[in-house]
Amino acid sequence: MPMREGTYGLLAEFDTPGELVTAAQAAYGTGYRRMDCYTPYPVEEAAEAIGFHRNNVSLVCLMGGLLGLAAMFGLETWISVWAYPLNIGGRPYYSWPAFVVPAYEWTILFAGLSAAFGMLAMNGLPTLYHPLFNAPNFRSGATTDKFFLCLEANDPKFSLTDSRAFLEGFRPVSVVEVEY
C-alpha cells in the first residue's frame, strides 16, 4: 500500500469508557460512519455505539469445517474406491462408517485454522503501520488507561473544523489531528 499524504482523521482522547461511548453514540447519531474506538480492554457498548454489528468469523469457521469434512470424505472415498481398492474382511469399498473419525478430525482442524486465519484477514492483520501510531497521546495511553475515538477523514460528513468543534463539545482530554 503506497503512502498517502494528508489528514487521516481527528483523534479524541477520553478518561473513561462512559465518555467515549457517549461521544461515539452522538457521532453515529449525527451521521458519522467512518470512525473507530480504541480502548485498552473490550468495551461492548462502544462497538454498539459506532454501529458495529457484523462478525463473519463464525461463518468462515463453518465454511472451513464443512470444507474439511468434504475434503476428508472425498479423499477417503477416492482412495478406497478408485485409487487403491482393497477388499478387507468382506467390507464394501465405500465403507463410510470407517471414514467418520478422520473426517471429524479434519473438520475440527479446518474449522480452527480457518477461524484463526479468517479472523486475522478480517482484522487486516498483520498491519505493521497505522497512522494513529504518529499521535503521541495514542502511543502512551491506548494500551493502558485511555479511551480514544477517531473520526476518519474519508467520511463524507468529515470537515476538519466542524468535526473538531463537534468532538470538543464532549470535553475530551485532547483532540489531535492525525496525519498519514
Side-chain angles (χ1 to χ4, degrees):
M1 184 166 116
M3 283 294 288
R4 294 172 41 183
E5 298 292 327
T7 301
Y8 176 76
L10 287 173
L11 183 68
E13 175 184 350
F14 298 97
D15 284 327
T16 66
E19 294 172 346
L20 170 71
V21 170
T22 302
Q25 287 171 340
Y28 191 82
T30 305
Y32 289 98
R33 294 298 182 259
R34 299 285 305 169
M35 61 180 153
D36 208 350
C37 295
Y38 300 92
T39 61
Y41 52 85
V43 179
E44 297 288 330
E45 296 85 13
E48 293 170 8
I50 63 173
F52 182 79
H53 300 290
R54 191 184 66 198
N55 184 350
N56 292 329
V57 175
S58 58
L59 179 63
V60 169
C61 183
L62 174 67
M63 292 302 184
L66 292 176
L67 179 67
L69 179 73
M72 190 46 134
F73 261 103
L75 178 67
E76 290 188 289
T77 300
W78 176 73
I79 289 172
S80 297
V81 175
W82 294 292
Y84 208 53
L86 295 174
N87 187 354
I88 299 173
R91 287 188 318 217
Y93 291 138
Y94 182 73
S95 179
W96 70 267
F99 303 165
V100 170
V101 173
Y104 173 74
E105 295 294 332
W106 272 41
T107 300
I108 292 174
L109 175 69
F110 276 49
L113 290 176
S114 64
F117 290 118
M119 181 265 312
L120 290 174
M122 285 183 227
N123 287 334
L125 297 175
T127 300
L128 302 177
Y129 171 78
H130 194 279
L132 292 180
F133 295 161
N134 295 331
N137 57 343
F138 187 79
R139 269 185 271 142
S140 63
T143 59
T144 55
D145 62 348
K146 298 295 181 187
F147 302 87
F148 296 93
L149 174 65
C150 180
L151 300 179
E152 297 177 9
N154 58 1
D155 190 299
K157 187 168 173 54
F158 185 85
S159 165
L160 192 58
T161 55
D162 295 341
S163 298
R164 181 182 293 275
F166 174 77
L167 287 174
E168 287 174 349
F170 296 100
R171 299 183 177 270
V173 174
S174 66
V175 177
V176 178
E177 179 182 351
V178 179
E179 299 194 8
Y180 280 101

